[in-house]
Amino acid sequence: MNRIDDIFARGRALFLAPMAGFSDCAFRALCKEEGADALVSEFVMANAVLEAPDSSRFWRTLDFDEAQRPFGAQLFGADPLLLAAAARRLADKVRPDFIDLNCGCPAPRIVDQCAGSALLKDLPRTAAILRAVVRAVPELPVTLKMRSGWDAGHIVAPELARIAQAEGAAMITLHARTREQGYGGDADWGLIGRVAASVKIPVVGNGLVRGVSAVQLLRSSGAAGLMVGRAALGRPWLFRALKAELAGEPPPAEPEAAKRLATMLRYAETLLGQGEDLPGIRARLKPFTEGIAGARQLRARMDAVASLGGLRELVGSVSLAP
């Protein structure tokens, strides 16, 4: 049984998505505590992996502890040889459980490098990347995260899934929106179902539909797992709720404001203890305030806080009465 099989050994699996600027080690740890089955790092550029000295802060992006396994390191780039070499260095230095290749990021700065979603327009290059990376790290599973296509007129997910399987990918994650959609509109879970039925390797679904539960989407599609991204920001306990629903149990109640803010403080303490600064982490803290009375004012006041002590004082001043 390989490491990807292990993830699905107990049934449908829940993944934390790689999110640039958010999927740091501390947040991954919170999600793991709350029931996430597998975690994936923020993406890292192949060139940076090859050029960063061993002592560089760059490697903090890929930090994880043993409790976070199974853990995947996500790479992006456009050159098969560079990606293969980067995967080899990651395997030797970081020792993840799998290498994930990004074929879906819609950000212009990534697409302009012919990487991320741009690879959806060049399937031969994507095939060459998969082939090179699979050969470079034979001891590790290689997985692929992709979107459905560049735009509605160019849906390539079924073809790319077959290519990925043929080139040795161990798993596919399909964010069923096009690059043109960005993060707007509903994901096409019918497409996820068709792709899952067309290949033998596990297909994990990503992207939600308004008014439909994530578990309902997962079951109706036949996908092997669910990757949760923005919905988990400020809500790591979402994984616990999804686990309960999958087990046919009533989901636990949403945590009260006191727990939400206490978790935010613990998260902030961890990040600051790792050498980050408060201005640099505010965007990661603010989602924990969603749903709390006076959240907008609280977030505005957070912008003026300059220290952990100030943040603690601010949280202590918040009225938690319903």
Side-chain angles (χ1 to χ4, degrees):
M1 181 177 289
N2 69 33
R3 300 181 203 191
I4 294 298
D5 290 335
D6 289 346
I7 295 173
F8 299 103
R10 297 182 182 178
R12 290 188 168 96
L14 302 177
F15 291 72
L16 175 66
M19 292 177 284
F22 289 94
S23 299
D24 55 63
C25 183
F27 185 66
R28 285 187 259 115
L30 291 176
C31 292
K32 189 69 173 182
E33 287 176 13
E34 295 289 346
D37 294 302
L39 309 166
V40 187
S41 74
E42 302 175 56
F43 64 17
V44 290
M45 186 170 69
N47 302 61
V49 170
L50 295 172
E51 296 166 5
D54 286 346
S55 59
S56 170
R57 289 174 59 90
F58 163 82
W59 296 105
R60 291 188 182 183
T61 302
L62 295 157
D63 278 348
F64 71 101
D65 57 42
E66 290 300 306
Q68 292 190 28
R69 292 191 185 275
F71 170 76
Q74 192 184 72
L75 271 173
F76 81 91
D79 185 292
L81 294 180
L82 287 179
L83 281 160
R88 185 66 262 164
R89 189 176 190 200
L90 284 180
D92 294 337
K93 180 175 176 58
V94 179
R95 300 191 181 281
D97 296 292
F98 58 99
I99 300 286
D100 189 56
L101 297 174
N102 184 296
C103 191
C105 180
R109 67 183 180 88
I110 304 301
V111 171
D112 289 347
Q113 299 177 58
C114 299
S117 289
L119 292 172
L120 299 169
K121 299 193 292 184
D122 191 346
L123 300 192
R125 180 191 292 267
T126 307
I129 288 170
L130 280 160
R131 189 180 314 125
V133 173
V134 167
R135 290 175 179 173
V137 288
E139 77 278 22
L140 289 182
V142 175
T143 62
L144 180 71
K145 187 171 190 291
M146 62 179 176
R147 283 180 173 248
S148 50
W150 183 259
D151 55 33
H154 300 86
I155 301 299
V156 299
E159 183 180 358
L160 183 50
R162 291 190 291 271
I163 289 171
Q165 178 174 262
E167 296 297 348
M171 183 187 83
I172 295 162
T173 300
L174 174 54
H175 181 173
R177 291 185 177 94
T178 65
R179 192 268 176 174
E180 186 178 63
Q181 279 181 279
Y183 297 97
D186 289 337
D188 184 355
W189 276 77
L191 178 64
I192 292 173
R194 293 192 295 277
V195 170
S198 70
V199 293
K200 295 180 180 179
I201 59 177
V203 173
V204 173
N206 181 213
L208 299 181
V209 177
R210 287 163 293 184
V212 185
S213 79
V215 170
Q216 183 179 340
L217 293 170
L218 186 54
R219 288 175 172 157
S220 65
S221 68
L226 175 70
M227 183 169 280
V228 183
R230 292 171 300 149
L233 295 180
R235 297 178 64 216
W237 37 82
L238 175 62
F239 289 98
R240 192 175 299 278
L242 291 170
K243 277 283 179 68
E245 191 177 348
L246 279 169
E249 302 168 357
E254 279 282 312
E256 296 181 353
K259 178 178 178 179
R260 295 179 69 94
L261 294 178
T263 303
M264 181 189 76
L265 274 179
R266 180 159 67 99
Y267 180 38
E269 289 166 359
T270 302
L271 291 172
L272 295 175
Q274 293 171 347
E276 305 236 25
D277 58 61
L278 198 55
I281 68 171
R282 284 190 190 117
R284 284 176 268 176
L285 301 181
K286 288 180 178 180
F288 287 87
T289 69
E290 293 290 342
I292 294 175
R296 182 177 298 177
Q297 293 83 354
L298 175 58
R299 288 193 291 272
R301 292 171 67 191
M302 285 173 65
D303 288 334
V305 171
S307 67
L308 179 59
L311 183 62
R312 288 188 180 125
E313 185 177 343
L314 173 58
V315 168
S317 72
V318 174
S319 172
L320 301 180

